[in-house]
Amino acid sequence: MNRALRIQLLIGLMCAALIVYFVLLGRTGITLISTGTPVAIALGIGVLLLPIVGAWAMVATLRAGFAHQRLAALAKEDGMDLDVSDLPRTPAGRIQRDAADALFDTVRAELEADPDNWLRWYRLARAYDYAGDRGRARETMRTAVSMQAGKR
Protein backbone atom coordinates (compact mmCIF):
# COMPACT_ATOMS: atom_id res chain seq x y z
CA MET A 1 0.00 0.00 0.00
CA ASN A 2 1.51 3.34 -1.02
CA ARG A 3 1.90 6.32 1.26
CA ALA A 4 -0.87 8.41 -0.35
CA LEU A 5 -3.43 5.65 0.06
CA ARG A 6 -2.46 5.15 3.72
CA ILE A 7 -2.90 8.88 4.35
CA GLN A 8 -6.29 8.88 2.64
CA LEU A 9 -7.41 5.89 4.71
CA LEU A 10 -6.22 7.61 7.89
CA ILE A 11 -8.14 10.77 6.96
CA GLY A 12 -11.24 8.67 6.27
CA LEU A 13 -10.96 6.92 9.63
CA MET A 14 -10.47 10.23 11.43
CA CYS A 15 -13.54 11.69 9.71
CA ALA A 16 -15.57 8.62 10.65
CA ALA A 17 -14.40 8.95 14.26
CA LEU A 18 -15.38 12.62 14.24
CA ILE A 19 -18.83 11.78 12.92
CA VAL A 20 -19.32 9.23 15.73
CA TYR A 21 -18.15 11.86 18.20
CA PHE A 22 -20.61 14.40 16.73
CA VAL A 23 -23.46 11.90 17.08
CA LEU A 24 -22.53 11.24 20.70
CA LEU A 25 -22.37 14.99 21.38
CA GLY A 26 -25.77 15.42 19.74
CA ARG A 27 -27.27 12.70 21.92
CA THR A 28 -25.77 14.33 25.01
CA GLY A 29 -27.19 17.71 23.99
CA ILE A 30 -30.65 16.24 23.46
CA THR A 31 -30.46 14.46 26.82
CA LEU A 32 -29.55 17.71 28.54
CA ILE A 33 -32.38 19.60 26.83
CA SER A 34 -34.90 16.89 27.72
CA THR A 35 -34.26 17.35 31.45
CA GLY A 36 -36.28 20.54 31.32
CA THR A 37 -34.18 22.60 33.71
CA PRO A 38 -33.07 25.98 32.36
CA VAL A 39 -29.35 25.43 33.01
CA ALA A 40 -29.39 21.97 31.43
CA ILE A 41 -31.31 23.32 28.43
CA ALA A 42 -28.74 26.08 27.95
CA LEU A 43 -25.89 23.57 28.25
CA GLY A 44 -27.69 21.20 25.86
CA ILE A 45 -28.02 23.93 23.24
CA GLY A 46 -24.34 24.72 23.63
CA VAL A 47 -23.43 21.04 23.27
CA LEU A 48 -25.63 20.77 20.16
CA LEU A 49 -23.72 23.64 18.57
CA LEU A 50 -20.39 21.82 18.90
CA PRO A 51 -21.15 19.14 16.27
CA ILE A 52 -22.43 21.80 13.89
CA VAL A 53 -19.24 23.84 14.18
CA GLY A 54 -17.13 20.67 14.05
CA ALA A 55 -18.86 19.39 10.93
CA TRP A 56 -18.40 22.76 9.24
CA ALA A 57 -14.67 22.74 10.11
CA MET A 58 -14.25 19.17 8.89
CA VAL A 59 -16.01 19.85 5.56
CA ALA A 60 -14.09 23.11 5.02
CA THR A 61 -10.79 21.36 5.70
CA LEU A 62 -11.62 18.49 3.36
CA ARG A 63 -12.71 20.87 0.60
CA ALA A 64 -9.48 22.84 0.92
CA GLY A 65 -7.46 19.63 0.86
CA PHE A 66 -9.20 18.41 -2.30
CA ALA A 67 -8.63 21.80 -3.96
CA HIS A 68 -4.94 21.73 -3.03
CA GLN A 69 -4.59 18.20 -4.38
CA ARG A 70 -6.24 19.28 -7.63
CA LEU A 71 -3.77 22.18 -7.99
CA ALA A 72 -0.85 19.89 -7.20
CA ALA A 73 -1.94 17.47 -9.92
CA LEU A 74 -2.39 20.30 -12.44
CA ALA A 75 0.99 21.79 -11.56
CA LYS A 76 2.67 18.41 -11.91
CA GLU A 77 0.90 17.85 -15.23
CA ASP A 78 2.31 21.18 -16.47
CA GLY A 79 5.77 20.36 -15.11
CA MET A 80 5.55 23.27 -12.66
CA ASP A 81 5.71 21.47 -9.33
CA LEU A 82 8.62 22.40 -7.10
CA ASP A 83 11.43 19.88 -7.20
CA VAL A 84 12.98 19.83 -3.75
CA SER A 85 14.57 16.39 -4.02
CA ASP A 86 18.10 17.79 -4.29
CA LEU A 87 17.82 20.31 -1.45
CA PRO A 88 19.82 19.59 1.73
CA ARG A 89 17.81 18.20 4.63
CA THR A 90 18.07 18.27 8.40
CA PRO A 91 18.42 14.95 10.26
CA ALA A 92 14.64 15.12 10.84
CA GLY A 93 14.05 15.24 7.07
CA ARG A 94 13.02 18.88 6.74
CA ILE A 95 14.62 21.11 4.15
CA GLN A 96 17.43 23.15 5.67
CA ARG A 97 16.40 26.73 6.39
CA ASP A 98 18.98 28.37 4.09
CA ALA A 99 17.96 26.18 1.16
CA ALA A 100 14.25 26.79 1.80
CA ASP A 101 14.85 30.55 1.95
CA ALA A 102 16.80 30.47 -1.33
CA LEU A 103 14.00 28.45 -2.95
CA PHE A 104 11.48 30.97 -1.64
CA ASP A 105 13.42 33.92 -3.09
CA THR A 106 13.58 32.23 -6.50
CA VAL A 107 9.86 31.42 -6.54
CA ARG A 108 8.91 34.90 -5.31
CA ALA A 109 10.90 36.44 -8.18
CA GLU A 110 9.00 34.18 -10.61
CA LEU A 111 5.70 35.41 -9.17
CA GLU A 112 6.72 39.05 -9.40
CA ALA A 113 7.45 38.51 -13.10
CA ASP A 114 4.09 36.77 -13.70
CA PRO A 115 1.60 37.77 -10.95
CA ASP A 116 -1.56 36.73 -12.84
CA ASN A 117 -0.57 33.07 -13.14
CA TRP A 118 -2.16 30.77 -10.55
CA LEU A 119 0.73 28.32 -10.96
CA ARG A 120 3.14 30.94 -9.69
CA TRP A 121 0.91 31.51 -6.63
CA TYR A 122 0.73 27.76 -6.06
CA ARG A 123 4.51 27.49 -6.22
CA LEU A 124 4.86 30.42 -3.80
CA ALA A 125 2.48 28.72 -1.36
CA ARG A 126 4.59 25.56 -1.49
CA ALA A 127 7.77 27.62 -1.00
CA TYR A 128 6.21 29.32 2.04
CA ASP A 129 5.39 25.87 3.41
CA TYR A 130 8.93 24.61 2.85
CA ALA A 131 10.26 27.76 4.54
CA GLY A 132 8.05 27.01 7.56
CA ASP A 133 5.59 29.90 7.22
CA ARG A 134 2.35 27.91 7.35
CA GLY A 135 0.03 30.91 7.75
CA ARG A 136 1.25 32.63 4.61
CA ALA A 137 1.30 29.30 2.81
CA ARG A 138 -2.42 28.80 3.51
CA GLU A 139 -3.26 32.36 2.51
CA THR A 140 -1.26 32.13 -0.71
CA MET A 141 -2.75 28.72 -1.52
CA ARG A 142 -6.25 30.20 -1.15
CA THR A 143 -5.25 32.84 -3.71
CA ALA A 144 -3.98 30.15 -6.08
CA VAL A 145 -7.18 28.10 -5.69
CA SER A 146 -9.44 31.08 -6.36
CA MET A 147 -7.35 32.21 -9.35
CA GLN A 148 -7.36 28.73 -10.85
CA ALA A 149 -11.13 28.50 -10.38
CA GLY A 150 -11.49 31.79 -12.28
CA LYS A 151 -12.76 33.77 -9.31
CA ARG A 152 -9.86 36.22 -9.40
Side-chain angles (χ1 to χ4, degrees), residues 27-144:
R27 285 181 42 194
T28 302
I30 291 170
T31 302
L32 284 167
I33 290 171
S34 67
T35 64
T37 62
V39 172
I41 291 172
L43 283 172
I45 291 170
V47 169
L48 280 177
L49 291 176
L50 292 174
I52 294 168
V53 172
W56 170 82
M58 182 177 73
V59 168
T61 301
L62 287 172
R63 288 183 68 203
F66 290 138
H68 299 172
Q69 282 184 327
R70 187 182 76 249
L71 291 191
L74 290 171
K76 186 173 186 173
E77 188 177 290
D78 288 346
M80 295 290 290
D81 53 340
L82 284 179
D83 182 18
V84 295
S85 60
D86 60 338
L87 296 179
R89 307 259 176 179
T90 65
R94 296 184 183 267
I95 296 172
Q96 288 181 2
R97 182 67 183 200
D98 296 345
D101 289 344
L103 174 69
F104 174 80
D105 290 338
T106 301
V107 173
R108 186 180 60 200
E110 292 173 0
L111 175 67
E112 289 171 356
D114 189 13
D116 295 328
N117 187 339
W118 70 265
L119 279 165
R120 301 295 181 195
W121 285 94
Y122 169 79
R123 288 169 57 90
L124 184 67
R126 299 292 296 152
Y128 269 128
D129 186 49
Y130 291 132
D133 192 342
R134 304 291 190 265
R136 285 192 177 129
R138 282 188 297 273
E139 181 181 322
T140 306
M141 187 64 78
R142 277 192 293 271
T143 301

